[in-house]
Amino acid sequence: MNIRERLYPQEEELSVLVRHCSDARYVWNLALEQRNSWRRRRSQRITTHSQDARTRQSS
């Protein structure tokens, strides 16, 4: 199921929306990189729980 929404932001909201999308894309790509790296090194799947715990541990 897909949900599509069309946004018509005001001029002052546009910069906040663009920044939010940029930050979300950065976090997504970082998580994807971590999962791929984990899988290559250990030849096993990583769960969301173990990835979250590892991220919290390193920060």
Side-chain angles (χ1 to χ4, degrees):
M1 182 170 124
N2 292 328
I3 298 175
R4 290 188 179 195
E5 294 287 335
R6 185 164 289 224
L7 300 176
Y8 298 101
Q10 300 296 321
E11 189 66 34
E12 58 274 2
E13 297 170 328
L14 188 59
S15 63
V16 174
L17 184 60
V18 168
R19 176 63 193 248
H20 172 76
C21 291
S22 175
D23 292 346
R25 187 173 38 253
Y26 174 80
V27 171
W28 174 264
N29 288 333
L30 181 61
L32 185 61
E33 181 184 349
Q34 287 176 349
R35 285 179 160 257
N36 289 336
S37 176
W38 175 279
R39 197 175 297 168
R40 278 193 300 269
R41 283 193 316 242
R42 298 181 186 223
S43 299
Q44 64 186 23
R45 292 192 178 269
I46 184 173
T47 65
T48 303
H49 176 72
S50 62
Q51 184 178 11
D52 184 47
R54 184 176 171 88
T55 302
R56 290 175 190 263
Q57 185 180 42
S58 65
S59 58

